Amino acid sequence: MKTLKTLITLFILTICYTGFSQAPQKINYQAVLRATDNSLISNQSVGMQISVLQGNANGTAVYVETQAPVTSNEA
């Protein structure tokens, strides 16, 4: 009986652990932005759109995210 309780407890703990161990729903991305003269773009707001396409490069967008970050001051 004690073995059965231990197995049930381990099963429940495994289910709970699996529920909390999922990856966050976000995409981390870092880039270097340069102007046409190859100089760094710093302290400016830039617009970007990230799309996840289904199938191929011309496929249907299944996820679209737009951001307007400000570039850093670092050179």
Side-chain angles (χ1 to χ4, degrees), residues 27-58:
I27 299 172
N28 288 327
Y29 185 80
Q30 185 175 6
V32 176
L33 298 176
R34 296 187 180 271
T36 55
D37 64 352
N38 208 27
S39 63
L40 291 174
I41 298 174
S42 54
N43 290 329
Q44 292 184 26
S45 179
V46 293
M48 66 181 201
Q49 178 175 319
I50 299 170
S51 301
V52 177
L53 305 177
Q54 184 175 14
N56 57 38
N58 298 319

Side-chain angles (χ1 to χ4, degrees), residues 58-74:
N58 298 319
T60 304
V62 293
Y63 176 80
V64 177
E65 179 178 330
T66 56
Q67 297 285 328
V70 176
T71 59
S72 66
N73 192 20
E74 298 177 19

Side-chain angles (χ1 to χ4, degrees), residues 2-4 11 16 21 35 47 54 56:
K2 185 175 182 181
T3 305
L4 181 60
F11 178 74
C16 291
S21 64
Q54 184 175 14
N56 57 38

